[in-house]
Amino acid sequence: MIRALEDKGRDAHVSEVMRTDMPTIHHKKPLEEALPLMQAGQAPALAVANTAGQLMGLITPEKIGEMMLVRAARPDALLRRRGSVRRKA
């Protein structure tokens, strides 16, 4: 952003400095597939898209690392959050 301000000035439009080459991943793909895509594209974030290719959000290396730590510490935590794990009666 600082470089864009220096190069284009304060009146630059977002479209003049935005990246259009962001790597994209489908929102149903496993989390483990996201980090290599980010590293290969040297991107600060990964665009997350739905089946229609519409942007749903962004995921960062920090968020991936956080989720992997949670998964390693409590493998059932993410499943329980989604309601996929049934409790024993």
Side-chain angles (χ1 to χ4, degrees), residues 58-74:
L58 299 172
I59 190 164
T60 63
E62 294 80 16
K63 182 55 83 177
I64 292 172
E66 180 182 314
M67 294 303 295
M68 291 175 118
L69 285 172
V70 168
R71 190 176 276 177
R74 299 210 36 217

Side-chain angles (χ1 to χ4, degrees), residues 28-77:
K28 298 268 183 173
K29 289 286 187 178
L31 189 58
E32 288 80 14
E33 291 184 25
L35 192 55
L37 280 174
M38 245 184 280
Q39 291 170 334
Q42 298 179 347
L46 188 62
V48 180
N50 63 16
T51 304
Q54 297 170 316
L55 179 67
M56 296 179 68
L58 299 172
I59 190 164
T60 63
E62 294 80 16
K63 182 55 83 177
I64 292 172
E66 180 182 314
M67 294 303 295
M68 291 175 118
L69 285 172
V70 168
R71 190 176 276 177
R74 299 210 36 217
D76 66 327

